[in-house]
């Protein structure tokens, strides 16, 4: 990532940190790799991520390790290991960093990509679901992506009371439509039937559109939870669309799932962020039942969505003021003055390449400097510098000692 992109990255991070702090989320950093089991147990053996996309290898001691394909499994592993949710405590955490999935690279889909995500552990109430969804929505709004460019899709995956029977029903549905569905979907009947809803094949989509909907077969508790989440979102005016084909690619989800999609020429990579509830995940690591939920969003896709919406990323000038030296005799004084300006909190730059005065001015322009402070033997003899306004071209003399204060005043 070269400076243009890295600057955008830092902007996305800053906006996230500001926003997440207002909701009480605290930062965590998890390792770039973990024991493979953390991901196989958490994300699920039958998912594409675990079965096809993990960078897994043996370390020198013969242990199987995997580059993290996502953050949730690691955060829950860490919360359990360090007792963050002991005695019913709630933890609100956020993380950001590179993730690794061995997918076929294309626009918006990389093998190393950058996610930022939040996780709430220990919260079972539907207000938590509505809060997490709202944070995701507000984040994209704060970046300047217009609401009309985004679709927030919402669904419920049910829980252990209602999903198994539904899953069996979908497996039977797939088998009864076997000849109309692709090979992969036929295989899914045995491994992960709900994933058939996510097949990109148009024929499969048409068949699956006629399948029974889990939302209509939710147990009483899941139905009440789902209704309450929607009511809280309605009250905040967060515009969601219910989408019964939204099943997400990770097995840990229970109840609420959601995704924000954009039309930005991203094709099937149009999900800029998504997440959901995972009330059984901590138990996958032999921990106590602990409800949890969260989201992650991808920086690369978010940036493409911002570009498609014509959003400019703020680029501060690399120098507010450039200290130019007329000749070698004043090098030490120029260097000292640049440092005094920097110590006064001003972004100041100077020449390190023995350029002519003319090309120092050009360099000042390239760096976006609003002022050039010129120091030469004449100025030095008078104990002054020349302060030049780069847009009006006006010049005035100010005392060398008072130069930082004069520059600060001129910058306003
Ligand atoms: P996910 O939907 O797999 O969810 O990924 C979240 C976001 O990461 C996607 O919406 C997308 O923007 C980005 N992303 C995923 N794969 C790639 C890729 N190969 N290249 C570029 N961007 C990508 C999760 O990872 C869950 N951990 C979210 C979550 C948190 N659920 C609960 N808590």
């Amino acid at each position: 990532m070269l400076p243009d992109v890295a600057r955008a990255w830092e902007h996305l991070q800053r906006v996230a940190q500001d926003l997440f702090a207002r909701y009480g989320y605290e930062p965590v950093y998890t390792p770039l790799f973990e024991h493979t089991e953390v991901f196989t147990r958490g994300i699920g053996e039958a998912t594409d991520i675990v079965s096809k996309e993990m960078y897994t290898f043996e370390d020198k001691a013969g242990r199987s390790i995997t580059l993290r394909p996502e953050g949730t499994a690691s955060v829950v592993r860490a919360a359990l290991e360090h007792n963050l949710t002991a005695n019913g405590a709630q933890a609100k955490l956020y993380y950001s960093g590179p993730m690794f999935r061995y997918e076929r690279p294309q626009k918006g889909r990389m093998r190393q990509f950058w996610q930022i995500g939040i996780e709430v552990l220990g919260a079972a109430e539907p207000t938590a679901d509505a809060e997490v969804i709202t944070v995701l929505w507000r984040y994209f709004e704060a970046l300047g992506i217009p609401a009309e460019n985004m679709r927030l899709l919402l669904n419920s995956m049910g829980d252990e009371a209602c999903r198994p029977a539904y899953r069996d029903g979908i497996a039977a549905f797939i088998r009864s439509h076997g000849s109309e569905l692709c090979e992969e979907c036929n295989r899914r009947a045995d491994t992960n039937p709900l994933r058939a809803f996510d097949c990109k094949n148009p024929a499969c989509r048409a068949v699956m559109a006629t399948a029974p909907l889990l939302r209509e077969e939710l147990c009483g508790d899941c139905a009440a939870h789902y209704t309450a989440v929607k009511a809280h979102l309605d009250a905040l005016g967060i515009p969601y669309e219910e989408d019964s084909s939204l099943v997400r690619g990770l097995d840990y989800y229970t109840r609420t799932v959601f995704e924000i999609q954009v039309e930005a020429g991203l094709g099937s990579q149009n999900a800029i962020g998504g997440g959901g509830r995972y009330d059984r995940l901590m138990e996958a690591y032999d921990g106590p039942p602990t409800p949890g939920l969260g989201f992650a969003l991808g920086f690369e896709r978010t940036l493409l969505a911002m570009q498609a919406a014509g959003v400019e990323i703020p680029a501060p000038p690399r120098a507010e003021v450039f200290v130019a030296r007329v000749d070698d005799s004043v090098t030490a004084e120029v260097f000292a003055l640049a440092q005094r300006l920097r110590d006064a909190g001003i972004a100041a730059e100077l020449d390190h390449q023995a350029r002519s005065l003319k090309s120092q001015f050009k360099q000042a322009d390239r760096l976006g400097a609003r002022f050039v402070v010129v120091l030469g033997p004449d100025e030095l003899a008078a104990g002054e510098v020349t302060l030049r306004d780069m847009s009006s071209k006006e010049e005035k003399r100010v005392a060398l000692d008072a130069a930082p204060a004069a520059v600060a005043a001129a910058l306003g």
Side-chain angles (χ1 to χ4, degrees), residues 55 101-111 269:
Y55 281 91
R101 296 184 193 175
Y102 196 82
E103 296 191 77
R104 199 161 51 78
Q106 57 192 75
K107 189 176 180 190
R109 195 207 276 158
M110 284 81 183
R111 288 180 172 165
Q269 277 63 249

Side-chain angles (χ1 to χ4, degrees), residues 318-323 337-339 341-342 345-350:
R318 285 172 56 200
E320 297 170 281
V321 53
F322 191 96
V323 189
L337 176 56
Q339 187 56 42
L341 289 161
R342 290 162 170 171
I346 296 165
E349 188 52 295
L350 74 159

Side-chain angles (χ1 to χ4, degrees), residues 224-266:
H225 188 93
Y226 186 59
T227 304
V229 173
K230 286 192 293 178
H232 291 309
L233 291 173
D234 289 337
L236 298 186
I238 304 292
Y240 58 86
E241 293 170 39
E242 296 181 70
D243 181 351
S244 49
S245 69
L246 182 69
V247 289
R248 309 262 311 134
L250 305 107
D251 274 357
Y252 49 59
Y253 290 116
T254 50
R255 297 195 170 169
T256 315
V257 287
F258 55 90
E259 207 161 270
I260 292 185
Q261 302 185 348
V262 288
E263 282 315 321
L266 282 168

Side-chain angles (χ1 to χ4, degrees), residues 282-357:
M282 185 96 64
E283 289 158 78
Y285 304 118
D286 302 324
T290 307
L293 71 162
F295 69 67
L297 61 96
F299 273 18
E300 290 81 0
R301 291 185 199 177
T302 300
L303 214 51
L304 290 169
M306 290 168 73
Q307 281 160 1
V311 177
E312 296 269 343
I313 309 254
R318 285 172 56 200
E320 297 170 281
V321 53
F322 191 96
V323 189
R325 85 183 139 164
V326 175
D327 64 32
D328 284 353
S329 69
V330 293
T331 298
E333 287 77 10
V334 163
F335 187 60
L337 176 56
Q339 187 56 42
R340 280 170 59 213
L341 289 161
R342 290 162 170 171
D343 287 342
I346 296 165
E349 188 52 295
L350 74 159
D351 168 54
H352 292 302
Q353 298 177 299
R355 292 175 199 242
S356 70
L357 190 59

Side-chain angles (χ1 to χ4, degrees), residues 71-90:
T72 310
S74 306
V75 168
V76 172
R77 188 272 308 146
L80 177 62
E81 194 174 327
H82 301 284
N83 294 318
L84 299 189
T85 53
N87 307 317
Q90 176 185 276

Side-chain angles (χ1 to χ4, degrees), residues 86-104:
N87 307 317
Q90 176 185 276
K92 294 178 89 171
L93 305 167
Y94 76 86
Y95 52 90
S96 93
M99 306 291 163
F100 306 85
R101 296 184 193 175
Y102 196 82
E103 296 191 77
R104 199 161 51 78

Side-chain angles (χ1 to χ4, degrees), residues 329-397:
S329 69
V330 293
T331 298
E333 287 77 10
V334 163
F335 187 60
L337 176 56
Q339 187 56 42
R340 280 170 59 213
L341 289 161
R342 290 162 170 171
D343 287 342
I346 296 165
E349 188 52 295
L350 74 159
D351 168 54
H352 292 302
Q353 298 177 299
R355 292 175 199 242
S356 70
L357 190 59
K358 195 170 156 208
S359 75
Q360 289 179 62
F361 270 93
K362 279 198 193 140
Q363 179 67 359
D365 228 13
R366 268 197 295 273
L367 296 176
R370 282 172 55 202
F371 294 93
V372 173
V373 173
V374 184
L375 184 54
D378 289 353
E379 279 93 351
L380 191 59
E384 292 178 337
V385 295
T386 302
L387 180 61
R388 181 181 169 91
D389 183 322
M390 291 296 275
S391 51
S392 71
K393 314 286 182 223
E394 273 168 38
E395 289 188 356
K396 63 176 178 190
R397 289 281 196 120

